[in-house]
PDB file of all heavy atoms in Angstrom:
ATOM      1  N   SER L1470      -0.187  -0.500   8.271  1.00 84.00           N
ATOM      2  CA  SER L1470       0.117  -1.642   9.111  1.00 84.00           C
ATOM      3  C   SER L1470       0.272  -2.913   8.194  1.00 84.00           C
ATOM      4  O   SER L1470      -0.137  -2.928   7.061  1.00 84.00           O
ATOM      5  CB  SER L1470      -0.901  -1.867  10.108  1.00 84.00           C
ATOM      6  OG  SER L1470      -2.101  -2.187   9.525  1.00 84.00           O
ATOM      7  N   LEU L1471       0.937  -3.894   8.692  1.00 86.00           N
ATOM      8  CA  LEU L1471       1.158  -5.051   7.871  1.00 86.00           C
ATOM      9  C   LEU L1471      -0.139  -5.743   7.519  1.00 86.00           C
ATOM     10  O   LEU L1471      -0.365  -6.234   6.415  1.00 86.00           O
ATOM     11  CB  LEU L1471       2.087  -6.032   8.596  1.00 86.00           C
ATOM     12  CG  LEU L1471       2.418  -7.292   7.883  1.00 86.00           C
ATOM     13  CD1 LEU L1471       3.152  -7.040   6.557  1.00 86.00           C
ATOM     14  CD2 LEU L1471       3.257  -8.220   8.756  1.00 86.00           C
ATOM     15  N   ASP L1472      -1.008  -5.879   8.562  1.00 84.00           N
ATOM     16  CA  ASP L1472      -2.302  -6.537   8.212  1.00 84.00           C
ATOM     17  C   ASP L1472      -3.191  -5.815   7.338  1.00 84.00           C
ATOM     18  O   ASP L1472      -3.969  -6.350   6.521  1.00 84.00           O
ATOM     19  CB  ASP L1472      -3.032  -6.852   9.579  1.00 84.00           C
ATOM     20  CG  ASP L1472      -3.313  -5.749  10.447  1.00 84.00           C
ATOM     21  OD1 ASP L1472      -2.619  -4.662  10.229  1.00 84.00           O
ATOM     22  OD2 ASP L1472      -4.023  -5.872  11.453  1.00 84.00           O
ATOM     23  N   GLY L1473      -3.096  -4.490   7.331  1.00 86.00           N
ATOM     24  CA  GLY L1473      -3.844  -3.641   6.475  1.00 86.00           C
ATOM     25  C   GLY L1473      -3.275  -3.762   4.936  1.00 86.00           C
ATOM     26  O   GLY L1473      -4.076  -3.905   3.981  1.00 86.00           O
ATOM     27  N   LEU L1474      -1.950  -3.886   4.848  1.00 88.00           N
ATOM     28  CA  LEU L1474      -1.399  -4.264   3.460  1.00 88.00           C
ATOM     29  C   LEU L1474      -1.746  -5.574   3.036  1.00 88.00           C
ATOM     30  O   LEU L1474      -2.056  -5.794   1.843  1.00 88.00           O
ATOM     31  CB  LEU L1474       0.130  -4.117   3.550  1.00 88.00           C
ATOM     32  CG  LEU L1474       0.614  -2.608   3.637  1.00 88.00           C
ATOM     33  CD1 LEU L1474       2.213  -2.696   3.913  1.00 88.00           C
ATOM     34  CD2 LEU L1474       0.277  -1.863   2.481  1.00 88.00           C
ATOM     35  N   LEU L1475      -1.812  -6.575   3.908  1.00 90.00           N
ATOM     36  CA  LEU L1475      -2.304  -7.954   3.456  1.00 90.00           C
ATOM     37  C   LEU L1475      -3.755  -7.945   3.066  1.00 90.00           C
ATOM     38  O   LEU L1475      -4.029  -8.576   2.021  1.00 90.00           O
ATOM     39  CB  LEU L1475      -2.033  -8.981   4.656  1.00 90.00           C
ATOM     40  CG  LEU L1475      -0.583  -9.232   4.903  1.00 90.00           C
ATOM     41  CD1 LEU L1475      -0.491 -10.134   6.190  1.00 90.00           C
ATOM     42  CD2 LEU L1475       0.015 -10.001   3.724  1.00 90.00           C
ATOM     43  N   VAL L1476      -4.540  -7.219   3.776  1.00 90.00           N
ATOM     44  CA  VAL L1476      -5.946  -7.116   3.375  1.00 90.00           C
ATOM     45  C   VAL L1476      -6.112  -6.516   2.061  1.00 90.00           C
ATOM     46  O   VAL L1476      -6.845  -7.040   1.188  1.00 90.00           O
ATOM     47  CB  VAL L1476      -6.783  -6.561   4.588  1.00 90.00           C
ATOM     48  CG1 VAL L1476      -8.208  -6.083   3.921  1.00 90.00           C
ATOM     49  CG2 VAL L1476      -6.874  -7.295   5.717  1.00 90.00           C
ATOM     50  N   PHE L1477      -5.385  -5.427   1.815  1.00 91.00           N
ATOM     51  CA  PHE L1477      -5.424  -4.691   0.516  1.00 91.00           C
ATOM     52  C   PHE L1477      -4.927  -5.552  -0.568  1.00 91.00           C
ATOM     53  O   PHE L1477      -5.560  -5.653  -1.674  1.00 91.00           O
ATOM     54  CB  PHE L1477      -4.644  -3.385   0.668  1.00 91.00           C
ATOM     55  CG  PHE L1477      -4.519  -2.702  -0.702  1.00 91.00           C
ATOM     56  CD1 PHE L1477      -5.624  -1.940  -1.059  1.00 91.00           C
ATOM     57  CD2 PHE L1477      -3.365  -2.722  -1.465  1.00 91.00           C
ATOM     58  CE1 PHE L1477      -5.523  -1.302  -2.296  1.00 91.00           C
ATOM     59  CE2 PHE L1477      -3.304  -2.103  -2.716  1.00 91.00           C
ATOM     60  CZ  PHE L1477      -4.405  -1.359  -3.135  1.00 91.00           C
ATOM     61  N   GLY L1478      -3.943  -6.358  -0.367  1.00 93.00           N
ATOM     62  CA  GLY L1478      -3.403  -7.280  -1.412  1.00 93.00           C
ATOM     63  C   GLY L1478      -4.407  -8.288  -1.747  1.00 93.00           C
ATOM     64  O   GLY L1478      -4.594  -8.671  -2.872  1.00 93.00           O
ATOM     65  N   LEU L1479      -4.874  -8.875  -0.755  1.00 95.00           N
ATOM     66  CA  LEU L1479      -5.893  -9.966  -0.961  1.00 95.00           C
ATOM     67  C   LEU L1479      -7.138  -9.404  -1.689  1.00 95.00           C
ATOM     68  O   LEU L1479      -7.655 -10.073  -2.634  1.00 95.00           O
ATOM     69  CB  LEU L1479      -6.265 -10.703   0.313  1.00 95.00           C
ATOM     70  CG  LEU L1479      -5.359 -11.577   0.898  1.00 95.00           C
ATOM     71  CD1 LEU L1479      -5.812 -12.070   2.379  1.00 95.00           C
ATOM     72  CD2 LEU L1479      -5.218 -12.763   0.075  1.00 95.00           C
ATOM     73  N   LEU L1480      -7.622  -8.269  -1.319  1.00 94.00           N
ATOM     74  CA  LEU L1480      -8.747  -7.706  -1.990  1.00 94.00           C
ATOM     75  C   LEU L1480      -8.389  -7.350  -3.455  1.00 94.00           C
ATOM     76  O   LEU L1480      -9.292  -7.460  -4.369  1.00 94.00           O
ATOM     77  CB  LEU L1480      -9.212  -6.436  -1.253  1.00 94.00           C
ATOM     78  CG  LEU L1480      -9.990  -6.598   0.037  1.00 94.00           C
ATOM     79  CD1 LEU L1480     -10.288  -5.347   0.737  1.00 94.00           C
ATOM     80  CD2 LEU L1480     -11.216  -7.463  -0.228  1.00 94.00           C
ATOM     81  N   LEU L1481      -7.196  -6.920  -3.734  1.00 94.00           N
ATOM     82  CA  LEU L1481      -6.733  -6.619  -4.999  1.00 94.00           C
ATOM     83  C   LEU L1481      -6.705  -7.802  -5.817  1.00 94.00           C
ATOM     84  O   LEU L1481      -7.271  -7.859  -7.027  1.00 94.00           O
ATOM     85  CB  LEU L1481      -5.473  -5.908  -5.070  1.00 94.00           C
ATOM     86  CG  LEU L1481      -4.823  -5.518  -6.382  1.00 94.00           C
ATOM     87  CD1 LEU L1481      -5.631  -4.309  -7.036  1.00 94.00           C
ATOM     88  CD2 LEU L1481      -3.394  -5.151  -6.324  1.00 94.00           C
ATOM     89  N   VAL L1482      -6.198  -8.834  -5.328  1.00 95.00           N
ATOM     90  CA  VAL L1482      -6.083 -10.061  -6.097  1.00 95.00           C
ATOM     91  C   VAL L1482      -7.493 -10.712  -6.361  1.00 95.00           C
ATOM     92  O   VAL L1482      -7.830 -11.070  -7.524  1.00 95.00           O
ATOM     93  CB  VAL L1482      -5.132 -11.056  -5.309  1.00 95.00           C
ATOM     94  CG1 VAL L1482      -5.346 -12.493  -5.927  1.00 95.00           C
ATOM     95  CG2 VAL L1482      -3.705 -10.715  -5.375  1.00 95.00           C
ATOM     96  N   CYS L1483      -8.314 -10.673  -5.382  1.00 95.00           N
ATOM     97  CA  CYS L1483      -9.660 -11.257  -5.559  1.00 95.00           C
ATOM     98  C   CYS L1483     -10.516 -10.456  -6.573  1.00 95.00           C
ATOM     99  O   CYS L1483     -11.269 -10.950  -7.422  1.00 95.00           O
ATOM    100  CB  CYS L1483     -10.384 -11.341  -4.209  1.00 95.00           C
ATOM    101  SG  CYS L1483      -9.711 -12.517  -3.089  1.00 95.00           S
ATOM    102  N   THR L1484     -10.468  -9.082  -6.432  1.00 92.00           N
ATOM    103  CA  THR L1484     -11.147  -8.287  -7.355  1.00 92.00           C
ATOM    104  C   THR L1484     -10.711  -8.326  -8.784  1.00 92.00           C
ATOM    105  O   THR L1484     -11.500  -8.502  -9.676  1.00 92.00           O
ATOM    106  CB  THR L1484     -11.017  -6.807  -6.898  1.00 92.00           C
ATOM    107  OG1 THR L1484     -11.532  -6.631  -5.607  1.00 92.00           O
ATOM    108  CG2 THR L1484     -11.831  -5.890  -7.845  1.00 92.00           C
ATOM    109  N   CYS L1485      -9.400  -8.415  -9.017  1.00 90.00           N
ATOM    110  CA  CYS L1485      -8.907  -8.525 -10.386  1.00 90.00           C
ATOM    111  C   CYS L1485      -9.271  -9.842 -10.957  1.00 90.00           C
ATOM    112  O   CYS L1485      -9.530 -10.075 -12.115  1.00 90.00           O
ATOM    113  CB  CYS L1485      -7.365  -8.238 -10.459  1.00 90.00           C
ATOM    114  SG  CYS L1485      -6.976  -6.541 -10.053  1.00 90.00           S
TER     115      CYS L1485
END
Side-chain angles (χ1 to χ4, degrees):
S1470 64
L1471 179 63
D1472 54 348
L1474 287 174
L1475 288 174
V1476 168
F1477 176 75
L1479 282 171
L1480 286 174
L1481 179 73
V1482 168
C1483 292
T1484 303
C1485 291

